[in-house]
Amino acid sequence: MTELDSNSPIPLHIQLKNELQELIDNRSFNEKIPSERELMDTYKVSRSTVREAVSHLVNEGVLKKVHGKGTFISKKPIEEWLGNITSTTEVIKKWV
């Protein structure tokens, strides 16, 4: 856990968003991120800061909110993981 810097020119919600993104990328969470309350206590920030950070990640498709259940890590389609993969035959057919 990285401590957020209230003296930084980078807003706290962006610092928290980046921290959460890094934890997600490093697979520090299984399927779900901690609750708003847990994030508030862990990072010593307000509920609005947590909500703003999480909203950014939801808008980017990294997280998915399920009412009454929590905030879950989105399962990205395999195409996003692998990029655009085409076979040699497909490339040749496009040019012929």
Side-chain angles (χ1 to χ4, degrees):
M1 177 191 94
T2 304
E3 192 166 320
L4 304 183
D5 180 5
S6 59
N7 296 320
S8 171
I10 299 170
L12 287 174
H13 70 277
I14 299 297
Q15 291 180 53
L16 180 57
K17 172 200 168 279
N18 293 341
E19 172 72 7
L20 292 173
Q21 179 70 64
E22 187 174 323
L23 291 169
I24 291 166
D25 292 345
N26 292 335
R27 302 181 189 268
S28 296
F29 305 125
N30 290 326
E31 298 175 2
K32 182 177 172 179
I33 67 167
S35 69
E36 283 183 357
R37 171 57 58 193
E38 291 171 306
L39 291 172
M40 288 167 56
D41 292 343
T42 300
Y43 292 99
K44 297 173 182 43
V45 293
S46 69
R47 183 176 303 273
S48 62
T49 298
V50 170
R51 286 187 175 170
E52 188 77 19
V54 170
S55 289
H56 278 287
L57 292 170
V58 168
N59 291 337
E60 291 174 9
V62 175
L63 295 176
K64 179 178 154 186
K65 290 186 132 209
V66 179
H67 185 70
K69 302 260 187 216
T71 306
F72 295 84
I73 298 167
S74 295
K75 304 289 185 225
K76 293 184 179 179
I78 193 160
E79 301 89 51
E80 287 184 81
W81 295 345
L82 300 176
N84 186 10
I85 297 177
T86 55
S87 70
T88 305
T89 307
E90 289 172 309
V91 172
I92 293 170
K93 284 179 182 177
K94 285 181 183 179
W95 290 100
V96 175

